[in-house]
C-alpha cells in the first residue's frame, strides 16, 4: 500500500502530525510520501507565480468584496494553482491523504476530481466551513462568499473520509451537511 499525504507546509501543527503519521506508517512497512506545496513552489517558478497571483486575487476579493479583516485566516481555493491530479498520477498512491490545503494551493473543483480513495484530516475547519479556517459558530455566515463557498464544497465534496483529530472539531463537523456524505 502507498499513501500520499498532501499539505501546504512542513512547518506548524499539521506538519508535525503528518510527520508522526508518516514515520509510523514507514515503521509498519507501509509506503508513505509527503507532498509539501511550499517546497514544491520553491522548485517551480511557474507554479509559484500562479500561486502568488491567486493569493493576490484572494486578498483583493476578501478586502474589497467581503471585508474579511484577517486575510490569512481565510482561503477561497477557487482558482487552480496546481494540477494536483498530475502530482497524484505521478506518485501513483493507493490512498490520498489531504491535511492542510488552504492558502489557494488546490482548487475545490480539483479536490472533487481526485479518483483515488481520499482521506482528509481536519486540522482546521476550512473543509466544512465557507472560507474561514476557524469559526466560532459553524452555522453563522459572515458574508455572501462564505455561504457560496460552503454550498460549492457541499456540492463537490463526495466520497471523502473525514478524520477529526479532536472531539472539539468532530462536534463542529457533525453539525454540517458534509457529515452525511
Amino acid at each position: 500500500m502507498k499513501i500520499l499525504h498532501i499539505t501546504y507546509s512542513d512547518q506548524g501543527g499539521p506538519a508535525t502530525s503528518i510527520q508522526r503519521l508518516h514515520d509510523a506508517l514507514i515503521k509498519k512497512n507501509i509506503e508513505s510520501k509527503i507532498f509539501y506545496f511550499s517546497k514544491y513552489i520553491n522548485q517551480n517558478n511557474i507554479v509559484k507565480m500562479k500561486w502568488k497571483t491567486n493569493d493576490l486575487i484572494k486578498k483583493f476579493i476578501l478586502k474589497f468584496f467581503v471585508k474579511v479583516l484577517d486575510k490569512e485566516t481565510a482561503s477561497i481555493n477557487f482558482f487552480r494553482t496546481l494540477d494536483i491530479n498530475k502530482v497524484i498520477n505521478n506518485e501513483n498512491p493507493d490512498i490520498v491523504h489531504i491535511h492542510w490545503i488552504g492558502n489557494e494551493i488546490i482548487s475545490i473543483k480539483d479536490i472533487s476530481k481526485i479518483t483515488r480513495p481520499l482521506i482528509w484530516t481536519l486540522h482546521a475547519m476550512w473543509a466544512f466551513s465557507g472560507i474561514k479556517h476557524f469559526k466560532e459558530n459553524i452555522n453563522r455566515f459572515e458574508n455572501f462568499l462564505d455561504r457560496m463557498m460552503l454550498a460549492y464544497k457541499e456540492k463537490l465534496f463526495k466520497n471523502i473520509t473525514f478524520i477529526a483529530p479532536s472531539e472539539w472539531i468532530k462536534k463542529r463537523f457533525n453539525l454540517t451537511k458534509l457529515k452525511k456524505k
Side-chain angles (χ1 to χ4, degrees):
M1 178 182 303
K2 183 176 182 182
I3 300 173
L4 175 64
H5 304 273
I6 300 173
T7 193
Y8 175 75
S9 173
D10 62 346
Q11 303 293 312
T16 301
S17 66
I18 295 163
Q19 189 62 53
R20 289 177 182 155
L21 176 58
H22 170 74
D23 293 344
L25 290 168
I26 297 293
K27 283 182 182 175
K28 296 282 185 182
N29 293 319
I30 297 172
E31 194 174 346
S32 176
K33 183 165 185 184
I34 305 171
F35 176 83
Y36 296 110
F37 180 78
S38 59
K39 289 182 177 182
Y40 180 78
I41 62 170
N42 288 330
Q43 300 165 359
N44 188 319
N45 287 333
I46 293 171
V47 174
K48 189 173 195 172
M49 285 176 33
K50 280 177 77 175
W51 174 72
K52 286 187 178 226
T53 301
N54 288 346
D55 195 52
L56 284 172
I57 292 168
K58 171 196 85 168
K59 288 178 180 176
F60 176 80
I61 290 169
L62 294 178
K63 180 173 181 162
F64 293 106
F65 293 102
V66 295
K67 306 287 190 243
V68 172
L69 299 177
D70 186 358
K71 286 157 235 8
E72 302 307 317
T73 64
S75 296
I76 300 171
N77 288 51
F78 191 75
F79 307 104
R80 172 188 271 183
T81 297
L82 169 70
D83 184 350
I84 195 60
N85 283 300
K86 281 186 180 177
V87 173
I88 292 168
N89 290 335
N90 186 44
E91 294 298 330
N92 196 27
D94 298 303
I95 296 172
V96 175
H97 191 162
I98 293 176
H99 293 271
W100 198 93
I101 51 101
N103 210 11
E104 316 316 309
I105 67 171
I106 306 170
S107 76
I108 293 167
K109 190 171 187 177
D110 282 348
I111 295 167
S112 74
K113 292 179 179 179
I114 295 173
T115 58
R116 311 291 166 93
L118 184 58
I119 297 171
W120 192 331
T121 296
L122 302 170
H123 297 283
M125 297 170 72
W126 183 83
F128 59 91
S129 71
I131 61 174
K132 302 289 282 205
H133 296 278
F134 170 78
K135 291 174 87 167
E136 197 64 46
N137 182 346
I138 193 64
N139 294 316
R140 185 174 158 263
F141 296 99
E142 298 174 17
N143 52 61
F144 171 76
L145 182 62
D146 198 35
R147 189 175 302 112
M148 182 185 81
M149 294 310 292
L150 179 58
Y152 189 53
K153 290 175 189 177
E154 289 170 346
K155 176 183 171 189
L156 294 180
F157 288 176
K158 295 176 176 33
N159 301 319
I160 301 173
T161 300
F162 291 98
I163 297 173
S166 71
E167 284 298 318
W168 181 88
I169 205 156
K170 180 181 178 182
K171 285 179 188 175
R172 280 145 185 83
F173 177 75
N174 285 340
L175 296 173
T176 71
K177 290 180 183 176
L178 286 175
K179 176 194 181 273
K180 297 166 184 73
K181 292 192 176 214

